[in-house]
Amino acid sequence: MSRITFATVWFGGCSGCHMSLLDLDAWLFDLASKVELVYGPLADQKTFPDGVDLTLVEGAIANEEHLALAREIRRKTRVLVALGDCAVTGNVTALRNLAGDPSGLLQQIYAERGDPTLAVPRAPGIVPRLIERVTPLHAAVPVDHFLPGCPPSAPRIRAMLEALLAGAEPSEIGRFG
Ligand code: SF4
C-alpha cells in the first residue's frame, strides 16, 4: 500500500502538541509505515510541498508569516486538522490580544524589558510582523477537523489518526467554525 503524504506545522504554540504527538511512542512506527512525513518541525523541509494528504497544525495565527503559510497549506492540503486548543480557539497564544494593539509589543519584549542596549531585529525575514489579533486557525482558513486539548493526549491523537487513515470520520473530535 502506498503511503499518504503527511505534514505537521508549528505556529503560535509551545510545542506541547508536537510533544504529545511524539508520545505516541512505538505507534509512531505504525504511523511511519502508513505516512510519508514531507514537512514539519520534525523534518528538514524548507518549503511546504504540493499535494499533501494530511496536515496537522499546532498553534494560533499570530503573525504575517503564520497567516501566509496557513493560506499556502490550505491550498496544498487535502485534509487539514487544527491540533490542540491554540489552533482550535487561540488559547494561551491569544492572551496577547488582551494587550491590545501589538505595534509596540516587540519593542517592549526585545528592548525595553530586555537588555536596554538591544533593539528589535530588523533584517528582512528575521522577526515577522505581528498581526493585529491572534486568531484560531479556522479564522484564517477553512479547517476540516478539530482536536481540542492542551495538549490533546497521545491516545486521542492516535484515535483521530487511525480514523483518518482508514478514511473514516473521527468520532472523538468536533467539527465547527
Ligand atoms: S494547545 Fe497547549 S500544548 Fe498545544 S501549543 Fe497550545 S499551549 Fe501548547
Side-chain angles (χ1 to χ4, degrees), residues 99-172:
D101 179 0
S103 55
L105 217 50
L106 295 181
Q107 175 68 20
Q108 285 179 28
I109 291 165
Y110 278 94
E112 293 159 23
R113 294 187 188 170
D115 182 334
T117 61
L118 294 181
V120 180
R122 299 217 179 272
I126 297 295
V127 179
R129 254 171 48 103
L130 300 178
I131 55 175
E132 197 170 322
R133 289 184 64 77
V134 174
T135 71
L137 182 62
H138 71 267
V141 295
V143 170
D144 299 304
H145 300 287
F146 299 81
L147 185 57
C150 182
S153 68
R156 292 178 63 230
I157 296 174
R158 175 175 170 173
M160 176 191 71
L161 288 173
E162 283 179 329
L164 290 175
L165 292 171
E169 187 72 15
S171 59
E172 232 202 298

Side-chain angles (χ1 to χ4, degrees), residues 55-142:
T55 298
L56 309 185
V57 170
E58 168 192 317
I61 307 291
N63 63 42
E64 290 180 345
E65 197 173 273
H66 296 158
L67 191 55
L69 184 54
R71 290 172 176 155
E72 182 180 3
I73 288 167
R74 179 66 280 185
R75 277 198 314 277
K76 295 178 170 179
T77 296
R78 191 166 56 81
V79 177
L80 182 60
V81 177
L83 178 72
D85 283 347
C86 290
V88 172
T89 69
N91 196 33
V92 177
T93 313
L95 290 174
R96 193 199 82 192
N97 295 340
L98 299 175
D101 179 0
S103 55
L105 217 50
L106 295 181
Q107 175 68 20
Q108 285 179 28
I109 291 165
Y110 278 94
E112 293 159 23
R113 294 187 188 170
D115 182 334
T117 61
L118 294 181
V120 180
R122 299 217 179 272
I126 297 295
V127 179
R129 254 171 48 103
L130 300 178
I131 55 175
E132 197 170 322
R133 289 184 64 77
V134 174
T135 71
L137 182 62
H138 71 267
V141 295

Side-chain angles (χ1 to χ4, degrees), residues 29-61:
F29 290 103
D30 291 352
L31 182 63
S33 71
K34 297 182 175 74
V35 305
E36 178 189 358
L37 183 65
V38 293
Y39 183 89
L42 309 175
D44 192 30
Q45 292 291 339
K46 305 302 183 211
T47 56
F48 196 86
D50 290 327
V52 176
D53 292 308
L54 174 60
T55 298
L56 309 185
V57 170
E58 168 192 317
I61 307 291

